Amino acid sequence: MESSSSALSRLSNLQRHLHPPHSNSKIRQGLVKLSPEVAEALSTGHPVVALESTIISHGMPYPKNLETAKEVEAIVRENGAVPATVAILDGVPCVGLSMGELERLATLGTKAQKTARRDIAHVVANRGNGATTVSATMIFASMVGIHVFVTGGIGGVHRHGEQTMDISSDLTELGRTPIAVISAGVKSILDIPRTLEYLETQGVCVAAYNTNEFPAFFTERSGCKVWLQYANLKLKLGTGILIAVPIPKEHSASGGLIESAIQIALREARDKNITGNAETPFLLAKVNELTGGASLASSILLLVLSTCSDIALVKNNALVGAKIAVALTQLKEHSNRGDAE
């Protein structure tokens, strides 16, 4: 059994590296374990795409979660990049999982702790198993030099957040960790305009893929305009970039059904003056009622990914993320050649 002094020493070493930019010393010191495939890709300048692991452990039941994880990784490979699923196993942050490790995480399911930035120290110190959320995945990916991360959707400012201060740590992480996050936007059960305002306050560049309107996860449009800036990494601004990818058109019908139910539920909650802690349970129950249970109401709260449209979002994001990673690598190579000349 590890002594308390040894655990504290490992924890102290990890905490010192949560903020500084990429350095190979972190890997040499054993703070982060890279899979052989990811290590080779990073050393040779091959494009790499980080993937979160909460989608595996808390997203859907086994073996559907394992099948989906394999399919998403395959999409990244087919589009020219190396997938790097991130998790903490036995207290060791891992960037890139073997098939055996993926299966272990899938079978652990919710026994693996959902791990955001605030939870990393606890999971590592106790040699626990952690499924990384958006914020924790961003940290470890950036720590080893990965510049692109694909997820389903990000958290945001909850409705009435100006009173409750209920704001996802995903947003503050985007303001402090330099990585491009590819997502399907923010679910409209949240306050999208205030989420975008908060991201602006954090200095986060927000872009939408092939459109100038920010998508609302289940639908292509939210009514909020966004613009793109390409020089973030080059200028070393120290903040992340959020690139929101609209739902594929072939799945927009089912997404539209869910979005319509959400809007009805929101209006009813407003009419009945249901706010605060009572609002989210009411919205989830109402959306579930309106869609006959097909809405994945629980997924809005728990990130459960088990409908065709929801899984399709993640796969589409993986495709776009891989292409962005490849393009970024090509831009860097072109820039390096220009500097050499």
Side-chain angles (χ1 to χ4, degrees):
M1 186 173 183
E2 184 179 39
S3 67
S4 58
S5 60
S6 176
L8 286 172
S9 176
R10 287 197 311 120
L11 178 57
S12 177
N13 286 336
L14 179 63
Q15 287 180 317
R16 283 201 300 271
H17 293 292
L18 287 182
H19 283 296
H22 165 53
S23 167
N24 288 330
S25 65
K26 302 182 189 73
I27 301 168
R28 287 197 299 270
Q29 292 170 11
L31 298 178
V32 179
K33 173 189 170 187
L34 297 184
S35 71
E37 182 184 24
V38 171
E40 181 179 359
L42 290 173
S43 66
T44 58
H46 194 78
V48 181
V49 173
L51 302 167
E52 65 160 292
S53 50
T54 300
I55 188 175
I56 302 171
S57 63
H58 292 69
M60 61 199 86
Y62 180 84
K64 183 64 177 177
N65 56 354
L66 180 60
E67 293 170 6
T68 301
K70 289 180 178 179
E71 289 169 0
V72 171
E73 288 202 348
I75 290 170
V76 172
R77 289 192 177 92
E78 289 164 6
N79 286 277
V82 170
T85 300
V86 178
I88 300 175
L89 296 175
D90 300 320
V92 178
C94 301
V95 179
L97 301 182
S98 66
M99 284 299 107
E101 289 169 331
L102 271 179
E103 179 148 16
R104 179 186 174 193
L105 193 62
T107 54
L108 274 173
T110 55
K111 292 179 182 177
Q113 180 174 338
K114 188 182 290 188
T115 305
R117 170 182 276 269
R118 69 172 186 177
D119 309 301
I120 292 173
H122 172 76
V123 176
V124 169
N126 287 283
R127 292 189 175 276
N129 297 309
T132 55
T133 63
V134 169
S135 62
T137 305
M138 288 176 67
I139 289 168
F140 291 122
S142 180
M143 188 182 287
V144 301
I146 297 173
H147 301 300
V148 178
F149 160 46
V150 165
T151 185
I154 66 163
V157 177
H158 284 249
R159 290 175 185 270
H160 312 294
E162 72 277 14
Q163 299 169 354
T164 65
M165 296 302 292
D166 192 351
I167 301 171
S168 169
S169 64
D170 296 353
L171 306 187
T172 49
E173 201 60 51
L174 275 160
R176 71 203 300 185
T177 303
I179 190 168
V181 178
I182 318 301
S183 84
V186 177
K187 289 177 180 176
S188 56
I189 195 171
L190 302 173
D191 191 325
I192 294 178
R194 280 196 172 91
T195 295
L196 293 174
E197 288 288 348
Y198 191 86
L199 286 170
E200 180 183 353
T201 300
Q202 294 293 313
V204 178
C205 173
V206 179
Y209 184 74
N210 280 342
T211 178
N212 67 345
E213 189 167 328
F214 193 78
F217 198 85
F218 290 118
T219 57
E220 296 175 82
R221 296 180 174 86
S222 67
C224 300
K225 300 294 183 182
V226 295
W227 294 267
L228 181 55
Q229 172 186 337
Y230 291 100
N232 194 67
L233 291 174
K234 186 88 173 166
L235 294 173
K236 298 181 180 179
L237 297 178
T239 56
I241 299 175
L242 175 62
I243 302 176
V245 182
I247 185 172
K249 290 188 182 299
E250 61 268 29
H251 297 285
S252 60
S254 58
L257 173 67
I258 297 170
E259 178 62 22
S260 295
I262 290 173
Q263 293 305 321
I264 292 171
L266 286 169
R267 286 195 296 271
E268 188 169 330
R270 184 173 61 249
D271 292 344
K272 294 182 176 179
N273 198 30
I274 298 173
T275 60
N277 293 337
E279 183 177 32
T280 297
F282 171 81
L283 293 174
L284 298 178
K286 189 65 182 180
V287 170
N288 196 52
E289 172 194 331
L290 291 170
T291 59
S295 67
L296 267 195
S298 59
S299 80
I300 298 170
L301 181 61
L302 302 174
L303 298 179
V304 177
L305 299 175
S306 59
T307 64
C308 293
S309 62
D310 229 342
I311 293 174
L313 286 173
V314 178
K315 291 180 178 179
N316 188 55
N317 292 349
L319 184 151
V320 173
K323 290 182 176 180
I324 289 174
V326 170
L328 180 60
T329 297
Q330 292 171 343
L331 282 171
K332 289 166 65 179
E333 290 174 350
H334 179 74
S335 176
N336 290 339
R337 284 196 299 269
D339 292 341
E341 294 171 358

